[in-house]
Amino acid sequence: RFSRVRPQVELESLTIEGIAPNAGFPLWTPFVRMHDGSLLAAPAQASTALKVDVAGQVITFGDFSDVLMYMTTVAAPDELVAYGIPYFAGSVLRIDGGALSTSVIGTDFGFGGSKWHGGGYAGGKIWGVPYKYPYVLKVDPETQSS
């Protein structure tokens, strides 16, 4: 016999301005968990990065105008920094959840092209999985190069 436990679910209101979502695509990438317990997400169609801090506060920061820029976010261990893997975006996005700032780093691969989708952290590097781009992406967080 099974008994179902239904956890309480609450929705956090978030005002999003200036977004005309493309059907079937997310506003942000899935969250990654940072070592302090906070969550970060890169913008897919949204105009900001997204953070949920350990107190449950929802924070948006950064200013982006292109759509489908990133489809994957990868966390660097022992930092409050995550990296957006370029999908249509031209460069890797560095998201600093501590300073609430963003910057693009490394090589400019040009906008468009469905480059990478998926990624991970191994051997001190951030890796991007090729989608329609014929190369594996390697990002060095120490030198901020790709």
Side-chain angles (χ1 to χ4, degrees):
R1 216 176 162 158
F2 292 97
S3 107
R4 290 190 177 172
V5 176
R6 296 189 188 249
Q8 181 179 356
V9 176
E10 297 176 21
L11 299 177
E12 184 69 26
S13 176
L14 180 63
T15 302
I16 306 167
E17 297 179 14
I19 296 175
N22 186 347
F25 291 99
L27 294 173
W28 287 277
T29 65
F31 280 122
V32 293
R33 186 178 186 278
M34 307 310 293
H35 80 275
D36 71 344
S38 64
L39 304 171
L40 289 178
Q45 292 189 81
S47 58
T48 63
L50 180 64
K51 177 180 181 176
V52 177
D53 68 16
V54 293
Q57 181 181 4
V58 177
I59 304 162
T60 59
F61 59 98
D63 185 16
F64 307 93
S65 59
D66 296 320
V67 297
L68 297 176
M69 296 185 306
Y70 304 92
M71 296 297 280
T72 303
T73 307
V74 177
D78 303 325
E79 293 184 55
L80 292 178
V81 175
Y83 295 85
I85 304 296
Y87 185 70
F88 279 176
S91 300
V92 172
L93 178 65
R94 184 179 186 275
I95 306 166
D96 187 327
L100 299 180
S101 65
T102 59
S103 58
V104 293
I105 63 168
T107 304
D108 183 348
F109 299 100
F111 186 79
S114 306
K115 298 172 197 67
W116 295 279
H117 192 301
Y121 180 88
K125 308 290 187 269
I126 304 291
W127 299 90
V129 178
Y131 188 69
K132 292 185 179 178
Y133 212 64
Y135 306 100
V136 172
L137 176 68
K138 180 172 85 172
V139 180
D140 185 335
E142 285 190 32
T143 63
Q144 298 192 19
S145 62
S146 58

